Amino acid sequence: METLRRLFLSSSPLLGSRFLEVLVKAQGPGAVYFQKKPGEIVVNEVNFVKKCMSAENSQDDLWGKLICTNFKVSFIPQEDSSKQKSTLSHLLLGEHDIPLTCLEQVVTVNDAKGKRKVLGSNQKLKFNPTELILYCKDLRIMRFCFQEAGPESAKKVCLAIAHYSHPADLQLLFGFEYRGQRYYESTGTLVRCPVVFTAGSETSTPRLCVGALFNGSTGQGGLQTPSFDRPSDWDREIKRTGASEWRVCSINENYAISPSLPEHVVVPVSLADQDLKQYSLFFTDQRIPIWCWSHKNGSALVRMTSINDPQQQRKIDQRIFTAITKSHPQYSDVIKSDLDKCLPSLQDVQSAFIKVRQICVVEPFEESEERWYSSLENSRWLECVRAFLKHSAEVVYHLDGKNVSVVLQEEEDRDLSCVVSSLVQLMLDPHYRSLVGFQALLQKEWVMAGHRFLDRCNHLKKNDKEEAPLFMLFLDCVWQMMNQYPAAFEFTETYLTVLSDSMWIPLFSTFLFNSPKQRAQHLTDFAKSKAIPHGEEQAVFFPPVWKWSQQFSPKDQTLFNNPLYVGKGAACVQNGEVKSFRRSKVFSIYQVQAGVFLATSTLGPGSSSLNGAEDPLPRRSSLVSELKPDFSPVKDESPSERFFRDWFCRPADPQGLLLPLLMPSHVVLWKLFFLRWVPEACIPRGGPVTTFHKLSQLVDEIDVLQRQLRQTAAPPGPGAPPGPGAPPADQRRMYFAAFPPNAPPTTLDFLSSSFPFTPVGNLCRSGIHGTPITKFLNGARVWLSTETLDNDAA
C-alpha cells in the first residue's frame, strides 16, 4: 500500500486509466485523485506537502501533493478526510482546488530566516520557502507547509503559482485553452477525455470527465435565460413590460457606433436612427441612452452617459427627454439622477470592501474583541449597501409614486448605474425575483450593458486601481432584501453565494469580458490562432454561467430553490387557513418608522439626492437622533413621505412592489458570505439552515402528496402505471426530501450555519466564546455600540 501511495505521489500526472483502477482497488474507498480537464496542463508539483487545517493543533492537517496547472492550484491528499468533506460537490473543481483567477495574493514564508515575500509574476525567490499562504478572492485562506518536501521543488511550485496567476494576456486564461480543446473534440479530431473513477464505494465505476457535462439547461423547468444578443429577446421584454412606445434599434450592429454597447438596444419610437447616430458623437464612448424597463403606468427607466461637450449638453438633454416624454401615455415629466454625485465612488466601495474583508477574514477574532462592532461600522461597507438601496428606493418613488420617467446618468454608465437600475427593477418587477428572471436581469443590465468585469474583477491583476466589487455590492443588496422579504424571491442565499464564486472561474463569458464586443473580438482572434476555419468561431464560444449543469448536479441545483417562495397568485397558508401575506402589527410599526426615515432622509424638501450632492455615507453617530423610536403622527407630510408611509402600512405583497428597510438594525452583515470560511463562526446543527431543512422537507412532502392526488384523481389510461408514487429523487424541487411515512426522522450531522459550504483549510483564530462576536453570530441585533450590547445582556 505504501509503495503504491509513493508511486502515485511521485509519478507523472499522465497516469494510465488502468493504473488508476488498480490504485483505487488497492487503496479502497475514500482516496482522492487528480482529474485534469481538457486543455489543462500540469506546470509544477511538489510531494509530501502538509495542508494546515488549524492554527492551534495539527491533528486535522492533511498530507499530500500540491499541483499547479494552467487552470488551478490543486492539493491531492493521501486519504480523503470525511470530516472535512464539503456538502456541495463541484463538477469543475475539487474540494481543495483554487482557480488561479481566484488568487488575491501568493505569500511565501521562511520561518528559520524570518522572511516573508508576496510573489508576483516573473519574480525571483532568494530563500527556500517553508510555508505558502494563498489569499483567495472568495475569502478563503489556504496554508501549506514544506518541511518534508524538497526545498527546490517547493520553491518552483510557489514561483509557478505566482506566475500563472498573473497572466500577461486575456487569452492566456485557461478558458480559452479549454474551449479550443473542446472544439477539436467535437469536430472529430480525437482528444481523449480521461476516464476517472468515482471513489466512495467498493465498486468504483468509470465516468466521463466534466468536459462532457456542458449541455445542461439554463434555468429551471427547461426555461432558458435570454442572452439579449438578438432583437427577439428585446422584443419579448418590450412586450412583457407593455412598453409600446419603445422599439429595438440596431444601429450599433457590428459595434459600428459604440464598442461598449450591445448590437441591439431599445430606444423611443420617436427617435430616428439618423438622429441617434448624430447624438452619439456627444456621449462618452458614443453610448446612446438605452431603455431598461417600463412601468405599467407608462414611466420608463433609462440609462445614459455624461455628455462630453458642455455647450451641447442642454440641447441634447432636451431632445432625449422630449422623446422619452412622448413615450409616456400622459406625456409625464422626466427626472435625471446624477449617480456620480449621489452615491459612493468606486474607490469608496473598494476601500469599504477591503476593510470588511480584513475584519471578517484576515484579522483574528481575539478573545476580548470589543472593537469588532465598531470595526464593522467603520469599514462603511454596510453604509455603502444602505446608500445604494436608499437611492434605488427613491427612484422607485418617482417611477411608481410620481408616475415620471427617470434617467440614470453616470459618466461611463457601466458601474453605478448597473447596480441602481438592477435594484430598481428588482423592487418593482416580481418577474426579476424568479430565478430565470433574475438571471435575465443580470444578463441585460450587467453583461450586455458593458459592465467591465475583466477590469473590476482584476482577472489579469494588472491594475489594482480599476478593481471594484460592484457586483459583490449588488449581490449584498439583493441579500438584504431577501433577508427582509424571504417569501418574495424564488432563489436562496446559497444561489447568490455560488454566483459570486463563479466570478473566479474563467470558463464563463458572463464574468470574463468588459463588453460584448471584447468577447466577440477575442473569440475571433483565438479562433485564428488555433487555425479554426472562418465561420466556426462560435464553436469555441464561452458558455454563460447560467448553464448550472456545468458546475453542479441536478440534486445540488435544488439548493437554489427557496421553499418559502410565494409565486404569482399564490397565497400564504397559516393554521390551515388561506390568508393574504401580512405583517404583524408590531413589526409594521417599525416598518412605518423605517419608511418615514427613508422619506425624510432622502426625499424631503430641498434634499432630494436625485439632483443634490449630499454626503452619500453619513456617519451613524449623526443619525442617532433620527433613529430614536418616535411614533408620533407626522404633520405636513410631503408626497414622498406619504407614499412610503402608505406602502409600509399596507399588507406586504411578495408579488408586488418591495421597498427595503434601511435602519441600521435592518441592514446587517451577510454572514454566509463573509464568515463561511471561519470555523469559529460556524454553528454546528444551527443557523438558518435548520429552518431551510425543515421547510424543504415540508414543501417536498406537499409536492409528493399533490402528485399522488393528481394521479389518483386521473382516470386510468392505457399503459398508466398502477397506483400513485413519489417522484424520483432527481426530480424533487427541494434538496432535503421528506421522510417516508414510517421512517423515523434522523438528525443530519453535516448541517451547520455555513451549509452547504464547509470551512476547509482556513487559518483558524483564537476562541471567541463569551465575546460580543458570539452574540452577533447567534442572531443578536446590530447595536450602535458594544456598551449597549453589554447593558442589554446584563
Side-chain angles (χ1 to χ4, degrees):
M1 183 75 69
E2 181 64 21
T3 302
L4 285 172
R5 183 187 66 79
R6 289 185 177 275
L7 180 61
F8 172 70
L9 289 175
S10 60
S11 63
S12 165
L14 300 176
L15 289 170
S17 60
R18 179 59 184 164
F19 181 74
L20 270 176
E21 185 177 8
V22 172
L23 193 59
V24 168
K25 292 180 179 179
Q27 290 261 92
V32 180
Y33 305 102
F34 179 66
Q35 303 173 12
K36 288 203 308 174
K37 308 298 179 289
E40 188 173 7
I41 302 171
V42 174
V43 177
N44 222 305
E45 57 190 42
V46 58
N47 298 317
F48 310 112
V49 177
K50 181 175 71 172
K51 180 179 181 181
C52 301
M53 310 299 288
S54 172
E56 298 179 348
N57 61 75
S58 59
Q59 183 176 358
D60 297 326
D61 291 348
L62 299 176
W63 288 87
K65 171 188 273 189
L66 186 65
I67 301 175
C68 174
T69 76
N70 58 337
F71 172 40
K72 63 182 183 289
V73 178
S74 289
F75 176 76
I76 313 299
Q78 296 176 14
E79 295 181 359
D80 187 20
S81 175
S82 58
K83 183 186 300 185
Q84 295 289 343
K85 190 175 180 62
S86 297
T87 302
L88 190 68
S89 58
H90 206 286
L91 299 177
L92 292 173
L93 297 166
E95 185 177 356
H96 304 279
D97 291 350
I98 310 167
L100 293 173
T101 46
C102 188
L103 293 179
E104 181 78 26
Q105 272 191 348
V106 179
V107 179
T108 53
V109 180
N110 185 294
D111 293 331
K113 297 183 178 180
K115 293 185 177 181
R116 179 185 179 100
K117 182 177 179 63
V118 179
L119 288 180
S121 180
N122 296 320
Q123 287 189 341
K124 295 183 179 180
L125 188 59
K126 297 182 179 180
F127 58 84
N128 293 325
T130 58
E131 287 186 11
L132 171 67
I133 306 176
L134 301 178
Y135 294 91
C136 307
K137 293 182 178 180
D138 63 0
L139 308 190
R140 280 184 293 175
I141 303 175
M142 299 288 191
R143 180 170 167 239
F144 302 95
C145 294
F146 301 123
Q147 282 87 350
E148 304 298 327
E152 284 300 318
S153 298
K155 178 188 292 187
K156 288 180 180 179
V157 78
C158 291
L159 291 172
I161 293 172
H163 176 74
Y164 280 87
S165 63
H166 291 74
D169 184 74
L170 179 60
Q171 291 189 23
L172 293 178
L173 292 177
F174 173 70
F176 285 90
E177 190 65 32
Y178 179 84
R179 297 314 302 168
Q181 195 82 346
R182 296 298 299 164
Y183 166 79
Y184 283 111
E185 287 184 18
S186 64
T187 54
T189 305
L190 185 60
V191 180
R192 293 194 177 273
C193 193
V195 177
V196 297
F197 290 83
T198 305
S201 61
E202 293 295 337
T203 58
S204 299
T205 56
R207 60 179 175 85
L208 288 178
C209 73
V210 73
L213 300 174
F214 272 76
N215 294 314
S217 62
T218 57
Q220 292 178 318
L223 297 176
Q224 301 291 313
T225 300
S227 59
F228 293 99
D229 60 353
R230 63 198 71 182
S232 58
D233 290 341
W234 291 105
D235 283 328
R236 279 191 293 269
E237 190 69 4
I238 290 174
K239 184 177 180 180
R240 189 189 68 83
T241 58
S244 58
E245 296 300 318
W246 296 81
R247 66 179 180 90
V248 181
C249 173
S250 300
I251 63 171
N252 198 41
E253 206 161 15
N254 295 322
Y255 310 101
I257 301 296
S258 173
S260 61
L261 280 179
E263 292 185 280
H264 312 285
V265 296
V266 177
V267 298
V269 169
S270 60
L271 278 179
D273 287 359
Q274 190 60 37
D275 293 333
L276 288 170
K277 290 180 181 179
Q278 181 182 354
Y279 299 156
S280 66
L281 301 175
F282 300 101
F283 287 100
T284 302
D285 204 24
Q286 290 78 52
R287 287 174 63 97
I288 58 176
I290 56 175
W291 171 89
C292 300
W293 182 82
S294 284
H295 196 284
K296 60 184 178 181
N297 62 23
S299 58
L301 182 66
V302 180
R303 293 171 56 169
M304 186 174 75
T305 67
S306 60
I307 297 176
N308 298 323
D309 190 349
Q311 296 180 354
Q312 295 288 336
Q313 180 170 355
R314 185 171 182 178
K315 177 182 176 181
I316 301 298
D317 277 353
Q318 185 176 3
R319 293 184 178 181
I320 297 295
F321 288 10
T322 299
I324 297 174
T325 299
K326 289 180 180 180
S327 70
H328 198 289
Q330 286 81 39
Y331 285 77
S332 183
D333 294 334
V334 178
I335 294 179
K336 181 169 66 175
S337 172
D338 192 336
L339 302 183
D340 292 316
K341 294 180 179 179
C342 305
L343 291 171
S345 66
L346 299 184
Q347 293 74 20
D348 292 333
V349 174
Q350 173 72 350
S351 174
F353 184 74
I354 290 175
K355 291 177 182 177
V356 74
R357 180 177 62 186
Q358 185 166 352
I359 65 172
C360 291
V361 176
V362 181
E363 286 189 355
F365 290 142
E366 299 176 358
E367 293 185 5
S368 58
E369 181 57 84
E370 297 181 355
R371 298 179 292 103
W372 201 85
Y373 287 110
S374 58
S375 298
L376 177 61
E377 179 182 345
N378 291 333
S379 73
R380 310 199 81 183
W381 174 255
L382 295 181
E383 293 296 332
C384 284
V385 172
R386 290 180 68 239
F388 278 86
L389 286 171
K390 184 185 296 185
H391 190 79
S392 300
E394 180 176 355
V395 175
V396 167
Y397 160 68
H398 283 85
L399 290 167
D400 186 82
K402 294 187 67 176
N403 191 16
V404 299
S405 297
V406 177
V407 174
L408 304 177
Q409 186 175 52
E410 185 188 7
E411 182 177 0
E412 293 187 353
D413 184 37
R414 302 174 69 180
D415 293 303
L416 306 179
S417 56
C418 295
V419 181
V420 175
S421 63
S422 300
L423 289 176
V424 169
Q425 294 173 69
L426 202 68
M427 295 175 190
L428 285 166
D429 195 337
H431 168 69
Y432 296 127
R433 297 175 217 144
S434 67
L435 182 60
V436 173
F438 184 74
Q439 293 177 170
L441 178 67
L442 301 185
Q443 187 72 23
K444 175 169 66 84
E445 298 297 326
W446 291 79
V447 179
M448 299 309 293
H451 179 67
R452 297 195 291 172
F453 280 107
L454 179 65
D455 294 338
R456 299 302 178 231
C457 296
N458 203 11
H459 287 314
L460 301 182
K461 300 180 179 64
K462 286 186 176 181
N463 192 347
D464 294 341
K465 294 181 180 180
E466 294 291 328
E467 186 174 355
L470 268 300
F471 189 69
M472 183 59 233
L473 175 72
F474 167 71
L475 293 183
D476 201 330
C477 291
V478 175
W479 178 84
Q480 300 293 336
M481 295 196 65
M482 288 175 55
N483 189 46
Q484 296 171 13
Y485 304 101
F489 294 83
E490 186 181 18
F491 45 89
T492 62
E493 65 174 331
T494 297
Y495 168 81
L496 294 181
T497 309
V498 165
L499 190 58
S500 70
D501 289 344
S502 300
M503 285 193 293
W504 315 119
I505 303 177
L507 299 180
F508 312 120
S509 62
T510 309
F511 305 119
L512 200 56
F513 302 98
N514 283 335
S515 66
K517 180 182 180 180
Q518 187 187 56
R519 179 182 68 235
Q521 186 63 53
H522 275 282
L523 289 177
T524 301
D525 295 343
F526 179 74
K528 291 179 180 178
S529 67
K530 292 295 181 181
I532 295 174
H534 180 68
E536 297 186 22
E537 294 92 344
Q538 289 302 314
V540 294
F541 82 104
F542 280 75
V545 73
W546 320 128
K547 290 182 177 291
W548 290 109
S549 59
Q550 301 168 70
Q551 300 189 60
F552 303 106
S553 67
K555 170 68 173 176
D556 285 341
Q557 290 180 56
T558 57
L559 285 169
F560 299 167
N561 299 331
N562 176 18
L564 285 174
Y565 177 61
V566 177
K568 188 173 183 179
C572 181
V573 179
Q574 296 179 358
N575 299 325
E577 298 181 8
V578 179
K579 299 181 178 181
S580 61
F581 192 84
R582 295 176 177 273
R583 305 179 181 88
S584 66
K585 184 176 181 181
V586 175
F587 192 47
S588 179
I589 292 176
Y590 284 96
Q591 289 176 312
V592 171
Q593 175 67 7
V596 174
F597 165 67
L598 172 62
T600 55
S601 62
T602 65
L603 299 172
S607 62
S608 173
S609 61
L610 277 180
N611 299 302
E614 61 174 304
D615 179 13
L617 295 177
R619 290 291 181 179
R620 189 168 296 175
S621 59
S622 65
L623 299 175
V624 173
S625 59
E626 297 184 54
L627 300 179
K628 291 180 179 178
D630 179 11
F631 301 134
S632 58
V634 179
K635 298 180 180 180
D636 301 326
E637 285 184 322
S638 67
S640 60
E641 293 170 342
R642 190 178 307 111
F643 171 81
F644 286 102
R645 178 178 288 276
D646 289 345
W647 186 88
F648 280 106
C649 287
R650 292 195 306 266
D653 180 10
Q655 286 296 310
L657 168 66
L658 292 184
L659 292 175
L661 306 173
L662 297 176
M663 297 179 75
S665 58
H666 293 135
V667 180
V668 297
L669 186 71
W670 183 7
K671 301 176 191 176
L672 181 63
F673 177 82
F674 285 102
L675 302 176
R676 58 180 167 151
W677 306 120
V678 182
E680 293 84 355
C682 182
I683 307 173
R685 300 183 184 180
V689 66
T690 55
T691 304
F692 177 80
H693 172 221
K694 295 299 181 183
L695 288 173
S696 296
Q697 288 183 324
L698 289 173
V699 169
D700 185 69
E701 184 177 0
I702 292 172
D703 287 346
V704 171
L705 293 175
Q706 287 179 337
R707 182 173 300 203
Q708 291 177 349
L709 285 173
R710 287 193 297 268
Q711 292 178 350
T712 304
D730 59 353
Q731 295 182 12
R732 305 270 181 105
R733 291 193 303 117
M734 293 295 135
Y735 183 84
F736 296 104
F739 293 120
N742 299 326
T746 58
T747 303
L748 301 175
D749 294 332
F750 60 84
L751 287 185
S752 70
S753 58
S754 63
F755 177 87
F757 309 97
T758 304
V760 177
N762 193 18
L763 291 179
C764 296
R765 278 83 176 165
S766 304
I768 59 169
H769 297 290
T771 64
I773 183 62
T774 59
K775 299 180 182 180
F776 169 79
L777 295 174
N778 286 311
R781 291 181 59 187
V782 180
W783 297 87
L784 297 179
S785 66
T786 53
E787 290 78 15
T788 309
L789 183 63
D790 294 337
N791 295 336
D792 179 70

